[in-house]
Amino acid sequence: MFYVFKYFGAHMENRFRHFFAFCLVVVLTACSSPENMGTAAHFKSDQLPCDDDATWVDCLGKTLVNEEMPQRIYAVNRQGDSSLILFWQDYVSASSAIRTLGLPGKIDIYKVPAKTEAKASGEATTQDGIVSVVNVPSPWYAPEFIVNGRMQDAIPDYAVIPGLDFKYFTTSDQGTLGGIYLWQSKASADAFYNDAWHARIEETYEQKADLKFYNLIDINRDSLEMVK
């Protein structure tokens, strides 16, 4: 009889542990929900609902209300295509702004669980500044809260990278993770994305990174200033 109770006791204990672990994952995943983190959107400039002669600053300022205004905006160009990268502090503001703008074409939306000012903070200019967007497949076995936690832990490492002005750590519903980087110059970016970096990405994720560079055409580090 003792062994019967011992068996059922151990069995119930294991079931309790599994239930507790499940509840913990649910809670941590909820804490990592989009509503609780920043959001970024990337789309072509000609999708803005304004006249062709209106600047993107005027268009956003006239179309969005204060609560919908992004915190930061990068106007960029790649191979002749102009686009905007907008950053909001939370998902609610971002989704409201995107609905108000009524963007008709393709739009890339990212969750932003972490961000950091880096060694060259404030030094990137439209003369030499470069924006890079990196996407790699997120490990299938890693819950979102673990990925977000590791991004938070990596903030000090990126804060000291030479030539890096600012980084937004990103994830997406398409199963990718990566970042949107603002660089002081193309040379700084190239020094970071060297052969060792590419090799490390391929070894870790078993495929090459999707890395794109954009020339910085304009930047608004505090877009609330343009609300009239």
Side-chain angles (χ1 to χ4, degrees), residues 135-140 174-177 201 205-210:
N135 285 295
V136 297
S138 182
W140 63 268
Q174 285 67 49
T176 64
L177 59 83
I201 293 297
Y205 301 100
E206 299 182 346
Q207 74 178 65
K208 295 181 179 180
D210 179 9

Side-chain angles (χ1 to χ4, degrees), residues 143-160:
E144 187 174 8
F145 71 88
I146 290 181
V147 173
N148 294 347
R150 290 182 177 177
M151 288 181 171
Q152 292 283 349
D153 293 341
I155 288 177
D157 298 330
Y158 284 92
V160 296

Side-chain angles (χ1 to χ4, degrees), residues 56-132:
W56 61 266
V57 175
D58 291 336
C59 184
L60 292 176
K62 293 177 180 178
T63 307
L64 302 179
V65 298
N66 282 14
E67 293 76 13
E68 298 173 329
M69 293 301 298
Q71 282 190 316
R72 178 177 285 218
I73 304 170
Y74 300 154
V76 297
N77 185 284
R78 182 173 186 265
Q79 299 176 349
D81 288 331
S82 297
S83 58
L84 294 173
I85 307 177
L86 280 58
F87 305 92
W88 290 269
Q89 187 172 5
D90 59 84
Y91 176 77
V92 174
S93 299
S95 59
S96 177
I98 292 170
R99 285 195 302 269
T100 299
L101 291 171
L103 302 173
K106 183 178 183 294
I107 174 171
D108 295 323
I109 299 178
Y110 301 97
K111 303 171 188 175
V112 181
K115 60 184 179 180
T116 181
E117 289 184 301
K119 198 168 186 178
S121 177
E123 297 182 12
T125 66
T126 55
Q127 182 175 354
D128 300 308
I130 290 289
V131 172
S132 62

